Amino acid sequence: MRSFIIRLYEDRIPAGHAPVYLPRMPRSVYVVQGGITVEFSDGTQHQRQESAWVGQDPIALVAGEEDAVLWRWELVAPDAPAGTLRSAPGATSTLKLQQEIELDSQFDWLMRCDRVDFPPGGVALTHVHQGPGIRCCLKGEITIETQGKTTVHPAGSAWFELGHAPVLAPTTEATDTSFIRCFILPQGCRLRSSLRYVLPEDAGKPKRQHYHVYGERMLTLP
C-alpha cells in the first residue's frame, strides 16, 4: 500500500488575469462558473462552465473574459507542499477538503471526474465504490450516511468517501440535487461504473439518478 493525499481547492481567477501555472501531478479541474483555457504539454483546451479537464501534465490556466470559479482536485504525495495558486496575485485559492488515502501498489490506477444528478427526493441506495474520492455538492442538498455518521451537505459543501465503506445518500425533496466527484479507481474500471449495491434487493430497484463522466485518465503515480 502507498499513501497519498487527495485535495480539493476552490480557485477564483479574475477575467483577463495572467496565466496561472501549475506543476505536473494528477488533477481534475471543474469549471463552476465562467470559463478557462487549459494549456498542457501537447495542446490547448477551452473549458466552459459545467465542464472538466482531467490530466497529469504541468498546465497553465488562462483566464477568459469572465471571472472563473474552479474546483480543482489533486493527488499528491503525503509530504507535498500546499497546492494553492502561486505567483498569481489577482487570484485566490482555498483548500476545501483534503484526505489521506492508501492505494494498493499492485493495481494501476485512474482518475475520474464525473457528475451525479438527482431529481427531488432521489436517493443513492446503500452502495460501495472501487476507490476513494472527494465529492462536492453543486446544487440542492444531499445527506451522507456512512460508518455510523450522518452529515448534510448543501451546495458548496465537500465530503470524502472511502470507497469500500457502505454509503446511503438521500437528497432533499425541495429541489434537484447535483454533485461533482473526483475519485481514484483501478484501471480495470475504465469506462465502467465503479458502483456496487450492498443489499441484493436494491440492485433491481429503479434508479432515478443520472451520471455524466467528464473524463478519466490513466495515472503515473507521483
Side-chain angles (χ1 to χ4, degrees):
M1 303 294 282
R2 294 181 59 191
S3 294
F4 297 89
I5 301 291
I6 187 169
R7 293 170 173 163
L8 170 59
Y9 293 91
E10 181 172 283
D11 302 324
R12 294 178 177 267
I13 303 177
H17 193 282
V20 175
Y21 300 101
L22 294 168
R24 179 187 308 275
M25 67 182 60
R27 63 168 56 86
S28 296
V29 180
Y30 176 80
V31 183
V32 181
Q33 177 183 312
I36 203 80
T37 297
V38 183
E39 296 179 350
F40 43 96
S41 61
D42 59 353
T44 300
Q45 186 168 317
H46 178 70
Q47 301 295 152
R48 59 180 177 80
Q49 184 169 317
E50 298 187 352
S51 72
W53 181 89
V54 184
Q56 196 161 350
D57 293 342
I59 61 173
L61 300 175
V62 182
E65 298 180 351
E66 300 178 68
D67 294 349
V69 179
L70 313 175
W71 288 345
R72 171 171 51 96
W73 289 261
E74 294 181 341
L75 182 69
V76 300
D79 58 352
T84 52
L85 304 182
R86 291 170 286 181
S87 301
T92 62
S93 183
T94 303
L95 178 64
K96 293 178 72 68
L97 186 63
Q98 69 174 6
Q99 179 68 43
E100 184 172 1
I101 62 174
E102 289 191 334
L103 299 179
D104 190 335
S105 56
Q106 297 182 90
F107 282 111
D108 294 320
W109 296 88
L110 65 82
M111 174 180 280
R112 177 182 295 166
C113 184
D114 66 359
R115 173 174 173 153
V116 185
D117 294 290
F118 296 86
V123 58
L125 299 171
T126 305
H127 63 280
V128 296
H129 286 282
Q130 307 307 301
I134 291 177
R135 287 82 165 147
C136 194
C137 186
L138 183 66
K139 64 178 181 178
E141 184 179 273
I142 187 168
T143 299
I144 302 299
E145 301 177 17
T146 185
Q147 296 183 297
K149 298 180 180 179
T150 299
T151 55
V152 178
H153 298 279
S157 176
W159 69 98
F160 171 77
E161 291 186 17
L162 191 58
H164 59 75
V167 172
L168 174 65
T171 67
T172 179
E173 298 274 2
T175 185
D176 294 347
T177 293
S178 302
F179 67 82
I180 309 301
R181 173 173 59 189
C182 178
F183 53 162
I184 312 301
L185 300 170
Q187 288 189 13
C189 291
R190 182 181 183 182
L191 301 176
R192 298 183 178 92
S193 172
S194 70
L195 183 145
R196 303 288 186 273
Y197 289 103
V198 173
L199 304 177
E201 60 268 28
D202 286 345
K205 292 180 180 178
K207 311 301 187 300
R208 301 174 66 197
Q209 65 267 39
H210 297 279
Y211 302 88
H212 177 76
V213 176
Y214 293 110
E216 58 185 24
R217 293 291 183 272
M218 307 304 113
L219 298 182
T220 302
L221 293 176

